[in-house]
Coordinates of all heavy atoms in Angstrom, one line a residue:
I1 N -75.3 146.8 -25.5 CA -74.0 147.4 -25.3 C -72.9 146.4 -25.7 O -72.0 146.8 -26.3 CB -73.8 147.9 -23.8 CG1 -74.7 149.0 -23.5 CG2 -72.4 148.3 -23.5 CD1 -74.6 149.5 -22.1
A2 N -73.0 145.2 -25.2 CA -71.9 144.2 -25.5 C -71.8 144.0 -27.0 O -70.7 143.9 -27.7 CB -72.2 142.8 -24.7
A3 N -73.0 143.9 -27.8 CA -73.0 143.7 -29.2 C -72.4 144.8 -29.9 O -71.7 144.8 -30.9 CB -74.4 143.3 -29.6
L4 N -72.8 146.1 -29.4 CA -72.3 147.3 -30.0 C -70.8 147.4 -29.8 O -70.2 147.8 -30.8 CB -73.0 148.5 -29.3 CG -72.8 149.9 -29.9 CD1 -73.2 150.0 -31.3 CD2 -73.4 150.9 -29.1
Q5 N -70.3 147.1 -28.8 CA -68.8 147.2 -28.5 C -68.2 146.2 -29.5 O -67.1 146.6 -30.1 CB -68.5 146.9 -27.1 CG -67.1 147.2 -26.7 CD -66.1 146.2 -27.0 OE1 -66.4 144.9 -27.1 NE2 -64.9 146.4 -27.1
R6 N -68.6 145.1 -29.7 CA -68.0 144.1 -30.6 C -68.0 144.6 -32.0 O -67.1 144.4 -32.8 CB -68.7 142.8 -30.5 CG -68.4 142.0 -29.1 CD -69.0 140.6 -29.2 NE -69.0 140.0 -27.8 CZ -70.0 140.0 -27.1 NH1 -71.1 140.5 -27.4 NH2 -69.9 139.5 -25.9
R7 N -69.2 145.3 -32.4 CA -69.3 145.9 -33.7 C -68.4 147.0 -33.9 O -67.7 147.1 -35.0 CB -70.8 146.3 -33.9 CG -71.1 146.8 -35.3 CD -72.5 147.1 -35.5 NE -72.8 147.6 -36.8 CZ -74.0 148.0 -37.1 NH1 -75.1 147.7 -36.4 NH2 -74.2 148.6 -38.3
L8 N -68.1 147.9 -33.0 CA -67.3 149.1 -33.1 C -65.9 148.7 -32.9 O -65.0 149.3 -33.5 CB -67.8 150.1 -32.1 CG -69.1 150.7 -32.3 CD1 -69.4 151.6 -31.2 CD2 -69.2 151.4 -33.6
G9 N -65.6 147.7 -32.1 CA -64.2 147.3 -31.8 C -63.4 148.3 -31.0 O -62.2 148.3 -31.0
T10 N -64.1 149.2 -30.2 CA -63.5 150.2 -29.4 C -63.1 149.6 -28.0 O -63.9 149.0 -27.4 CB -64.4 151.5 -29.3 OG1 -64.8 151.9 -30.6 CG2 -63.6 152.5 -28.5
T11 N -61.9 149.9 -27.6 CA -61.4 149.5 -26.2 C -62.4 150.1 -25.3 O -62.7 151.3 -25.3 CB -60.0 150.0 -26.0 OG1 -59.1 149.6 -27.1 CG2 -59.5 149.5 -24.7
T12 N -62.9 149.3 -24.3 CA -63.9 149.7 -23.4 C -63.6 149.3 -21.9 O -63.2 148.1 -21.7 CB -65.3 149.1 -23.8 OG1 -65.6 149.6 -25.1 CG2 -66.3 149.6 -22.8
V13 N -63.6 150.2 -21.0 CA -63.5 149.8 -19.6 C -64.8 150.2 -19.0 O -65.3 151.4 -19.0 CB -62.3 150.7 -19.0 CG1 -62.1 150.2 -17.4 CG2 -61.0 150.5 -19.7
Y14 N -65.4 149.2 -18.3 CA -66.8 149.2 -17.8 C -66.7 149.0 -16.3 O -66.3 148.0 -15.9 CB -67.6 148.2 -18.6 CG -69.1 148.2 -18.4 CD1 -70.0 148.7 -19.3 CD2 -69.6 147.7 -17.1 CE1 -71.4 148.7 -19.1 CE2 -71.0 147.6 -17.0 CZ -71.9 148.1 -17.9 OH -73.2 148.1 -17.7
V15 N -67.4 149.9 -15.6 CA -67.5 149.7 -14.1 C -68.9 149.2 -13.7 O -69.9 149.8 -14.2 CB -67.1 150.9 -13.4 CG1 -67.6 150.9 -12.0 CG2 -65.6 151.1 -13.4
T16 N -68.9 148.2 -12.9 CA -70.3 147.8 -12.3 C -70.0 147.1 -10.9 O -69.0 146.6 -10.6 CB -71.0 146.8 -13.2 OG1 -72.2 146.5 -12.6 CG2 -70.2 145.5 -13.4
H17 N -71.1 147.1 -10.1 CA -71.0 146.4 -8.8 C -71.8 145.1 -9.0 O -71.8 144.3 -8.0 CB -71.6 147.2 -7.7 CG -73.1 147.5 -7.9 ND1 -73.6 148.5 -8.6 CD2 -74.2 146.8 -7.4 CE1 -74.9 148.4 -8.6 NE2 -75.3 147.4 -7.9
D18 N -72.4 145.0 -10.2 CA -73.3 143.7 -10.5 C -72.4 142.7 -11.1 O -72.1 142.8 -12.3 CB -74.4 144.2 -11.4 CG -75.4 143.1 -11.6 OD1 -75.1 141.9 -11.6 OD2 -76.6 143.4 -11.9
Q19 N -72.2 141.6 -10.3 CA -71.2 140.6 -10.9 C -71.9 139.8 -12.1 O -71.2 139.2 -12.9 CB -70.8 139.7 -9.9 CG -71.9 139.0 -9.0 CD -72.0 137.5 -9.2 OE1 -71.5 136.9 -10.1 NE2 -72.8 136.9 -8.4
V20 N -73.2 139.8 -12.2 CA -73.9 139.3 -13.3 C -73.6 140.0 -14.6 O -73.2 139.5 -15.7 CB -75.4 139.0 -13.1 CG1 -76.1 138.5 -14.4 CG2 -75.7 138.2 -11.9
E21 N -73.6 141.3 -14.5 CA -73.3 142.2 -15.6 C -71.8 141.9 -16.0 O -71.5 141.8 -17.2 CB -73.4 143.7 -15.2 CG -74.7 144.4 -15.6 CD -74.7 145.8 -15.2 OE1 -73.7 146.5 -15.4 OE2 -75.7 146.3 -14.8
A22 N -70.9 141.8 -15.0 CA -69.6 141.6 -15.3 C -69.3 140.3 -16.0 O -68.6 140.2 -17.0 CB -68.7 141.6 -14.1
M23 N -70.0 139.2 -15.6 CA -69.7 138.0 -16.2 C -70.3 137.7 -17.6 O -69.8 136.9 -18.4 CB -70.4 136.9 -15.2 CG -69.7 136.8 -13.8 SD -68.0 136.2 -13.9 CE -68.2 134.4 -14.0
T24 N -71.4 138.4 -17.9 CA -72.1 138.3 -19.1 C -71.6 139.3 -20.2 O -71.7 139.0 -21.4 CB -73.6 138.6 -19.1 OG1 -73.8 139.8 -18.4 CG2 -74.2 137.4 -18.2
M25 N -70.9 140.3 -19.8 CA -70.4 141.3 -20.8 C -68.9 141.4 -21.1 O -68.5 141.7 -22.2 CB -70.8 142.7 -20.3 CG -72.4 143.0 -20.1 SD -72.8 144.6 -19.4 CE -72.4 145.6 -20.9
G26 N -68.1 141.1 -20.2 CA -66.7 141.4 -20.4 C -65.9 140.2 -21.0 O -66.2 139.1 -20.9
D27 N -64.9 140.7 -21.8 CA -63.9 139.7 -22.4 C -63.1 139.2 -21.2 O -62.8 138.0 -21.1 CB -63.1 140.4 -23.4 CG -63.8 140.8 -24.7 OD1 -64.8 140.1 -25.1 OD2 -63.5 141.9 -25.2
R28 N -62.8 140.1 -20.3 CA -62.1 139.7 -19.0 C -62.7 140.6 -18.0 O -63.3 141.7 -18.2 CB -60.6 140.1 -19.1 CG -59.8 139.1 -19.9 CD -58.3 139.3 -19.8 NE -57.9 140.7 -20.0 CZ -56.8 141.3 -19.5 NH1 -56.1 140.6 -18.7 NH2 -56.6 142.6 -19.9
V29 N -62.6 140.2 -16.7 CA -63.2 140.8 -15.6 C -62.0 141.0 -14.6 O -61.3 140.2 -14.3 CB -64.2 140.0 -14.9 CG1 -64.8 140.7 -13.7 CG2 -65.3 139.7 -15.9
A30 N -61.9 142.3 -14.0 CA -60.9 142.6 -13.1 C -61.7 142.9 -11.7 O -62.6 143.7 -11.6 CB -60.2 143.9 -13.4
V31 N -61.3 142.0 -10.7 CA -62.1 142.1 -9.4 C -61.1 142.8 -8.4 O -60.0 142.6 -8.3 CB -62.3 140.7 -8.9 CG1 -63.1 140.7 -7.5 CG2 -63.1 139.8 -9.8

């Protein structure tokens, strides 16, 4: 998903409760 988003360049807002997902995927993280 992270690689696909970079390829498409589409603005993405992603919700998760998993902080490992948050830290590995996001350009920025909102807590």
